[in-house]
């Protein structure tokens, strides 16, 4: 299938038009072989040598994601989002300096603070939505990587990707973007100047809460990207073929899920903004959101499926609200077809930038009136308890 002829929506829906050559099945088979026949001259004319770096099902899923992200150098799938993210930092050298978003995925922030420093990586955290602060934090010649997350979990702050890319490149650094909560349906960071995009593919790319996976996409096939490939191959942080098949199945419906989820998230954000028991709604689609103008410039097809609410009544009311939901599920993770609610401060613990009165909401594909009704009754019950 010619990638330039059809829209990304159509290409994703048909998994790039891949047809099984043996049966002509419209769903490609799952390739599970771990080893491949060598030619008589001991070569590998098929290009497949061993199952750790080489698997056709994984390659097919990578091709779909690379197409969605417009990744000229391709995509790599990993066994988890953390495996993908840490591979980028492990491609650095001891003594290299990194600037990262202060508000970001908590597990990665903890890894950077506790593990990356043991590798000799120097890390500074900054509010990357403030480009002046970002520019002041980078050290020309020393800073090798700027890592941003936008929208950032769980406060949903927005960083100007193009502006951050300009600052990073002027300092001689790469810009990597965690775009998990935007997905290529809403934002394609490589087209805005980023060098690498990371996805916790467990989340909305898969969308069914049944796969743990991660992904990296690159703009240029350069020395740094090849070091990332070496880390993946050498450390074995690969994705299995069955998980790659499930991920590709999820990406086939990514556009219809994302657009429904974003529309529902916007409707909930607007309605909850007027709720008497909600003190504040954090959602970049709202005009009053500090990053709304930038989000409107670099996001399309909506503003994503994630929002957070700060409830009146403080921490006790927030925890009580989460305890009384009926349709929402109290669970970690995000991006699935089912809506989730979580009190993040109690999960992240000491040092978290997350307010104690905040609830994170991942919007699924349920009826939006049902979702609002559930939150309404839970807020009322949570404040009574």
């Amino acid at each position: 299938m010619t990638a330039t002829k059809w829209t990304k929506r159509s290409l994703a829906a048909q998994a790039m038009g891949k047809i099984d050559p043996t049966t002509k099945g419209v769903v490609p088979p799952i390739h599970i072989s771990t080893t491949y026949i060598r030619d008589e001259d001991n070569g590998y004319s098929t290009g497949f040598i061993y199952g750790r770096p080489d698997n056709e099902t994984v390659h097919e899923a990578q091709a779909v994601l690379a197409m969605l992200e417009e990744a000229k150098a391709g995509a790599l799938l990993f066994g988890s989002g953390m495996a993908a993210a840490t591979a980028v930092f492990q491609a650095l050298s001891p003594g290299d300096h990194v600037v990262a978003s202060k508000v970001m995925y908590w597990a990665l922030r903890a890894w950077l603070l506790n593990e990356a420093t043991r590798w000799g990586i120097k890390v500074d955290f900054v509010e990357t939505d403030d480009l002046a602060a970002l520019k002041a934090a980078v050290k020309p010649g020393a800073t090798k990587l700027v890592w941003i997350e936008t929208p950032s979990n769980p406060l949903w702050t927005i960083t100007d990707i193009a502006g951050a890319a300009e600052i990073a490149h002027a300092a001689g650094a790469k810009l990597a973007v965690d775009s998990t909560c935007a997905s290529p349906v809403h934002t394609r960071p490589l087209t805005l100047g980023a060098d690498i995009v990371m996805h916790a593919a467990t989340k909305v790319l898969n969308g069914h809460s049944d796969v743990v996976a991660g992904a990296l996409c690159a703009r240029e096939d350069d020395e740094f990207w090849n070091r990332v490939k070496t880390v993946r191959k050498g450390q074995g942080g690969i994705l299995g073929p069955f998980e790659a098949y499930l991920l590709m199945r999820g990406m086939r419906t990514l556009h219809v899920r994302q657009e429904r989820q974003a529309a529902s998230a916007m409707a909930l954000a607007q309605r909850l903004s007027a709720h008497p028991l909600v003190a504040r709604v954090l959602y970049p689609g709202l005009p009053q959101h500090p990053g709304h103008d930038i989000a409107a410039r670099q996001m399309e097809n909506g503003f994503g499926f994630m929002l957070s609410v700060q409830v009146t009544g403080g921490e006790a009311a927030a925890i009580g609200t989460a305890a009384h939901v009926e349709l929402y599920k109290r669970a970690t993770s995000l991006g699935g077809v089912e809506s989730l609610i979580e009190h993040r401060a109690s999960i992240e613990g000491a040092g978290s930038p997350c307010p104690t009165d905040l609830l994170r909401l991942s919007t699924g594909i349920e009826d939006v009136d049902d979702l609002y009704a559930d939150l309404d009754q839970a807020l009322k019950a949570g404040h009574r308890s």
Side-chain angles (χ1 to χ4, degrees):
M1 181 179 285
T2 304
T4 57
K5 185 176 181 180
W6 309 110
T7 63
K8 292 180 175 63
R9 174 192 293 269
S10 294
L11 291 168
Q14 294 195 12
M16 302 286 287
K18 187 75 174 181
I19 302 297
D20 176 34
T22 301
T23 67
K24 304 301 180 184
V26 298
V27 177
I30 304 173
H31 295 267
I32 60 174
S33 182
T34 60
T35 192
Y36 306 92
I37 297 294
R38 300 178 74 162
D39 300 331
E40 293 180 356
D41 63 359
N42 280 332
Y44 288 96
S45 58
T46 64
F48 291 86
I49 300 174
Y50 186 65
R52 176 157 33 90
D54 303 317
N55 180 272
E56 179 62 14
T57 304
V58 173
H59 289 181
E60 290 167 358
Q62 288 176 165
V64 172
L65 182 55
M67 175 274 297
L68 289 170
E69 283 288 5
E70 300 185 35
K72 296 178 182 178
L76 294 173
L77 292 180
F78 291 76
S80 69
M82 283 294 292
T86 55
V88 178
F89 295 96
Q90 289 169 352
L92 297 169
S93 299
D96 285 350
H97 179 245
V98 171
V99 177
S101 296
K102 184 175 290 186
V103 179
M104 64 186 303
Y105 177 51
W106 188 248
L108 180 58
R109 187 177 191 274
W111 185 88
L112 289 172
L113 285 170
N114 300 307
E115 302 299 328
T117 53
R118 296 174 59 194
W119 289 64
I121 305 299
K122 301 174 182 178
V123 184
D124 285 323
F125 294 95
V126 67
E127 301 285 0
T128 56
D129 57 318
D130 181 347
L131 292 184
L134 176 59
K135 186 174 183 179
V138 300
K139 302 172 183 179
T143 302
K144 299 302 181 183
L145 179 69
V146 173
W147 180 280
I148 66 174
E149 180 178 329
T150 185
S152 62
N153 180 12
L155 304 182
W156 316 120
T157 51
I158 300 295
T159 295
D160 183 334
I161 297 172
E166 184 177 348
I167 291 170
H169 295 158
K174 297 285 188 183
L175 175 67
V177 179
D178 180 345
S179 195
T180 296
C181 294
S183 95
V185 172
H186 297 308
T187 307
R188 292 181 299 284
L190 300 181
T191 68
L192 299 171
D195 299 289
I196 291 177
V197 177
M198 193 284 289
H199 288 285
T202 306
K203 310 304 195 287
V204 77
L205 286 182
N206 175 60
H208 293 81
S209 302
D210 54 10
V211 170
V212 174
L216 296 174
C217 302
R219 183 164 57 94
E220 299 292 340
D221 189 11
D222 56 13
E223 180 184 355
F224 187 78
W225 181 237
N226 281 291
R227 289 206 299 272
V228 172
K229 290 180 181 178
T230 299
V231 170
R232 177 182 179 269
K233 180 179 179 180
Q235 297 189 5
I238 62 168
L239 190 66
F242 182 65
E243 289 77 11
Y245 161 78
L246 290 176
L247 176 59
M248 187 157 62
R249 175 218 57 186
M251 289 190 290
R252 284 175 177 258
T253 62
L254 178 63
H255 285 79
V256 292
R257 287 187 288 106
Q258 276 270 256
E259 289 167 10
R260 169 66 178 269
Q261 289 169 286
S264 293
M266 174 65 90
L268 288 171
Q270 291 170 334
R271 295 174 72 175
L272 289 168
S273 294
H275 198 288
L277 299 179
V278 172
R280 186 184 181 198
V281 176
L282 305 176
Y283 184 66
L286 295 176
Q288 63 266 34
H289 187 282
H292 174 74
D293 290 344
I294 296 171
R297 187 167 69 242
Q298 67 187 25
M299 302 182 78
E300 60 188 35
N301 302 313
F303 295 88
F305 56 94
M306 296 300 300
L307 66 150
S308 295
V309 296
Q310 292 178 257
V311 303
T312 62
E315 181 177 9
I319 294 174
T321 297
H324 285 89
V325 293
E326 298 174 6
L327 184 59
Y328 276 83
K329 306 304 180 189
R330 287 183 304 278
T332 295
S333 200
L334 50 90
V337 293
E338 64 287 310
S339 293
L340 305 179
I341 187 170
E342 188 169 51
H343 182 253
R344 285 302 300 173
S346 60
I347 297 295
E348 296 182 3
S352 170
C354 185
T356 58
D357 62 353
L358 182 142
L359 292 170
R360 188 183 73 178
L361 306 177
S362 174
T363 311
I365 63 172
E366 303 93 341
D367 183 273
V368 69
D369 290 333
D370 287 344
L371 292 174
Y372 180 79
D374 189 32
L375 290 173
D376 178 51
Q377 66 82 22
L379 282 163
K380 293 172 181 175
H383 280 73
R384 289 195 298 267
S385 61

